[in-house]
Amino acid sequence: DGGITQSPKYLFRKEGQNVTLSCEQNLNHDAMYWYRQDPGQGLRLIYYSQIVNDFQKGDIAEGYSVSREKKESFPLTVTSAQKNPTAFYLCASRGQQINEQFFGPGTRLTVL
Amino acid sequence: AQTVTQSQPEMSVQEAETVTLSCTYDTSESDYYLFWYKQPPSRQMILVIRQEAYKQQNATENRFSVNFQKAAKSFSLKISDSQLGDAAMYFCAYRSVLGGATNKLIFGTGTLLAVQP
């Protein structure tokens, strides 16, 4: 089945450690996005990529990094520079001729 | 910059009744897309309905319909014959038709809908 997968579903990290969240899609979509969701704040854009080997900062990119080496994959690294990383992270993708974004199931990151 | 406002943090509806969720937005653009997404307890974001700003006709998807008032910058969601499975957080979202940096979804803060049996 076509779709977006994110792993792991739950992730725990100690302060000071970097951690990478996985996002894979087999929808052949060009654009991919990372959002952060906090209670009462909706979703905020971290990074996005329109094509392979290119990505742009979103509204809250500080403390995060991404790569887009393959069309199917858009991993997000939460670095130790991110001051408040505990949140729910959602990955999304969109095809060129499609107006809506399709979302993965999300990863809940907790910093201990 | 565009903003999306959902002024109802929580709503409640009886099963089989109708409920309307409110959304207003601010933009200087004349063409754009508006969306309602549903996020059930599983936290999977699911597209409910989409509206193109250039279309005057309100979008409808089965029991879900919108009231799109472009001049008032209002985009409300009506759920008819509410079912227990409709209980979820609902997000209103805006997207410019322009490409590049503005080609992102801007979300409201959400409305948590409870459905009472």
Side-chain angles (χ1 to χ4, degrees), chain A residues 54-66:
Chain A
D54 185 61
F55 48 83
Q56 305 294 329
K57 292 182 179 180
D59 299 319
I60 55 166
E62 184 175 353
Y64 300 97
S65 65
V66 294

Side-chain angles (χ1 to χ4, degrees), chain A residues 24-41:
Chain A
E24 303 276 335
Q25 54 99 359
N26 60 4
L27 300 168
N28 199 32
H29 287 172
D30 291 302
M32 297 186 74
Y33 308 81
W34 273 106
Y35 292 91
R36 171 181 170 139
Q37 185 177 18
D38 295 282
Q41 294 195 47

Side-chain angles (χ1 to χ4, degrees), chain A residues 99, chain B residues 2-4 24-35 50-55 68-75 92-98 102-106:
Chain A
N99 292 319
Chain B
Q2 297 87 7
T3 59
V4 177
T24 58
Y25 58 94
D26 189 26
T27 183
S28 59
E29 298 175 341
S30 60
D31 200 10
Y32 44 86
Y33 301 104
L34 295 165
F35 306 88
R50 178 187 76 209
Q51 175 79 44
E52 288 90 347
Y54 67 86
K55 291 185 177 179
F68 173 49
Q69 301 289 328
K70 191 173 184 179
K73 296 180 182 175
S74 171
F75 183 60
C92 179
Y94 170 103
R95 185 172 83 79
S96 170
V97 299
L98 300 174
T102 58
N103 195 12
K104 66 179 183 181
L105 284 173
I106 299 169

